[in-house]
Amino acid sequence: MPRKVLVTGGAGFIGSNFIHYLLDRYDDISVINLDDLTYAGNLRNLADLEKDPRYFFIRENICNFPGLQTVFKKFEPDYVINFAAESHVDRSILDPDIFIRSNVLGVQNLLKLSLDCEIERMIQISTDEVYGSLGESGVFTEKSPLDPRSPYSASKASADLLTLAYYYTFNLPVNITRCSNNYGPFQFPEKLIPLTILHCLKGEKIPVYGDGLNIRDWIHVDDHCSAIDRVLTDGIPGEIYNVGAQNEMTNIEMVNTIICALKELRPDLPLTEDSIVFVPDRKGHDRRYAIDPEKIQKTLGWKSRMPVSEGIKTTVEWYLNNVNWLESVINAEYLHYYSVNYRIGNPLPKL
Ligand code: NAD
Ligand code: TYD
């Protein structure tokens, strides 16, 4: 019997890459993608799988317990991997409520049903942001204290604690993965990398928060997917695994790397140092993230493969080859969010 994997939030950036990753590698599985198609969920990300008999899509919200229960009963999944979440820090500053609903109450529903249905493994996809902000030195290990600073990271930390509570109290076989900042195809252009590419293509200035010296630790989404696969196969129940590729960069360095890649691929674009504009800082902006991935490397034999220079180049190429995808996600909701977040009257790009 093929193993059944319920992927929640599979129409988003990482979830859709993960579904492709699984179906590319394994014939003997089926994937049920449950997603409520919020602004960040996009079935175009999975259009190539529409006719794949191993793939099913269900539109449902993880906050709707009866609806979720029906899906668990109908498909009887062996594994549950939860990507579904509100994922953008800036939106959590503008409107935290939905973050608590989806990222905390939704996870409680998934945990409860995973227990009721005796799921073999439930993986909660978390983030390094639960550890808070680092100074100039040090790295996050799995033993670092939780110290979330934004409504987004606080909601993710809450879900982590609930997930662990189900392990300790009910023996539910869970894992938590805490990955650093992802980049790659299908990322919604509210996040730094696709937003930078979009602005360069539109001839708009790239908004960099504060002094541009905040540091993020970047990983290609395929490397994140392979780490989740390792955890699903061999992770020890109850364990947390940090995932990262040890690529720390300031935001200015990252934006300049993207500009360089674009200049090579699209010499016609008018890109100069003036393409960047420093805008008011994000409230409570975490200064630095850095993940120590030693545990998953040593215990599960995982390692990242994609060097960041190559990964950024191929990512830029992907967006250049998929301008239609980029344009399709720029709708009225996006433009409204953009004008509120960046406090500008005349929002982004003439398309
Ligand atoms: P995303 O915003 O691109 O996708 C989220 C998906 O979840 C969307 O398809 C959306 O429709 C769906 N969704 C949201 N709320 C839902 C609900 N209540 N019910 C059903 N579906 C819902 O996010 P992403 O960047 O792919 O992140 C996926 C997960 O990975 C999140 O849990 C996030 O916290 C975590 N994570 C992200 C990063 C990153 O760099 N993007 C890094 C580490 C961890
Ligand atoms: P983001 O992609 O939103 O990821 P996260 O906040 O989860 O790390 O942001 C990455 C970094 O880029 C972060 O330090 C904030 C910064 N940033 C900007 O400088 N300008 C922007 O317009 C955005 C969206 C982010």
Side-chain angles (χ1 to χ4, degrees):
M1 259 270 277
R3 312 253 81 192
K4 287 177 274 184
V5 187
L6 175 62
V7 173
T8 49
F13 163 49
I14 305 173
S16 60
N17 276 285
F18 184 70
I19 290 174
H20 280 114
Y21 184 95
L22 279 186
L23 292 175
D24 283 350
R25 274 164 191 76
Y26 303 106
D27 286 330
D28 58 338
I29 58 158
S30 59
V31 171
I32 304 106
N33 173 16
L34 181 149
D35 196 298
D36 201 30
L37 302 182
T38 69
Y39 77 91
N42 189 346
L43 289 182
R44 285 175 75 128
N45 301 4
L46 299 145
D48 56 322
L49 298 176
E50 267 166 22
K51 296 206 169 83
D52 190 321
R54 302 169 300 161
Y55 171 75
F56 305 86
F57 172 72
I58 315 268
R59 183 168 190 172
E60 187 53 87
N61 193 309
I62 58 168
C63 298
N64 177 17
F65 187 82
L68 265 192
Q69 194 171 34
T70 305
V71 174
F72 271 76
K73 292 234 159 90
K74 179 173 173 197
F75 288 96
E76 300 183 321
D78 301 292
Y79 310 112
V80 175
I81 308 182
N82 179 38
F83 295 88
E86 290 292 331
S87 68
H88 193 39
V89 173
D90 293 318
R91 289 187 190 248
S92 81
I93 295 166
L94 294 171
D95 181 14
D97 296 27
I98 182 75
F99 284 74
I100 307 307
R101 286 199 295 278
S102 291
N103 299 6
V104 186
L105 300 177
V107 175
Q108 149 65 5
N109 285 340
L110 288 172
L111 289 165
K112 191 163 186 294
L113 284 165
S114 296
L115 186 64
D116 290 351
C117 300
E118 300 179 356
I119 294 297
E120 259 177 59
R121 189 65 55 97
M122 191 279 182
I123 302 185
Q124 168 63 9
I125 305 301
S126 186
T127 164
D128 60 353
E129 303 193 24
V130 298
Y131 297 122
S133 183
L134 289 166
E136 277 175 23
S137 62
V139 286
F140 297 134
T141 73
E142 289 80 357
K143 293 198 167 71
S144 299
L146 295 180
D147 186 21
R149 310 292 185 97
S150 71
Y152 163 68
S153 53
S155 69
K156 295 295 290 185
S158 307
D160 285 9
L161 293 176
L162 262 180
T163 304
L164 289 174
Y166 268 75
Y167 172 70
Y168 289 117
T169 310
F170 304 114
N171 238 343
L172 181 70
V174 302
N175 287 114
I176 294 171
T177 57
R178 294 182 178 149
C179 189
S180 60
N181 284 64
N182 285 219
Y183 65 91
F186 300 121
Q187 188 168 28
F188 195 79
E190 62 192 354
K191 305 278 175 21
L192 179 68
I193 289 180
L195 184 123
T196 298
I197 298 169
L198 175 70
H199 280 231
C200 290
L201 292 179
K202 299 294 176 200
E204 298 283 328
K205 288 196 186 260
I206 304 152
V208 171
Y209 295 154
D211 60 7
L213 297 179
N214 297 64
I215 291 175
R216 294 294 180 264
D217 184 357
W218 294 97
I219 183 172
H220 192 276
V221 65
D222 284 349
D223 280 328
H224 187 187
C225 292
S226 69
I228 299 166
D229 187 21
R230 289 298 304 123
V231 172
L232 185 61
T233 313
D234 286 327
I236 309 289
E239 292 294 313
I240 297 165
Y241 295 95
N242 281 356
V243 181
Q246 295 168 300
N247 288 315
E248 287 184 55
M249 290 169 82
T250 65
N251 292 335
I252 278 292
E253 279 168 342
M254 176 49 83
V255 167
N256 282 326
T257 306
I258 296 167
I259 291 177
C260 278
L262 268 167
K263 272 185 169 164
E264 231 176 81
L265 295 160
R266 283 284 305 274
D268 57 304
L269 290 172
L271 295 169
T272 65
E273 281 186 0
D274 283 349
S275 302
I276 294 171
V277 57
F278 289 94
V279 298
D281 210 352
R282 171 188 279 173
K283 287 182 187 152
H285 195 174
D286 288 342
R287 192 62 172 171
R288 174 171 166 259
Y289 301 145
I291 275 277
D292 176 358
E294 190 179 313
K295 178 175 171 180
I296 190 168
Q297 288 175 340
K298 289 222 164 119
T299 61
L300 301 184
W302 173 84
K303 62 174 193 288
S304 66
R305 293 182 181 280
M306 182 66 90
V308 73
S309 50
E310 187 187 333
I312 290 297
K313 194 162 176 233
T314 55
T315 298
V316 169
E317 266 165 354
W318 186 87
Y319 285 95
L320 289 179
N321 293 331
N322 291 276
V323 171
N324 287 346
W325 181 90
L326 210 43
E327 300 217 339
S328 74
V329 300
I330 309 214
N331 54 21
E333 192 282 335
Y334 179 85
L335 293 173
H336 174 72
Y337 158 74
Y338 185 85
S339 67
V340 173
N341 191 54
Y342 295 89
R343 290 179 227 125
I344 47 167
N346 180 22
L348 222 200
K350 322 76 138 141
L351 294 175

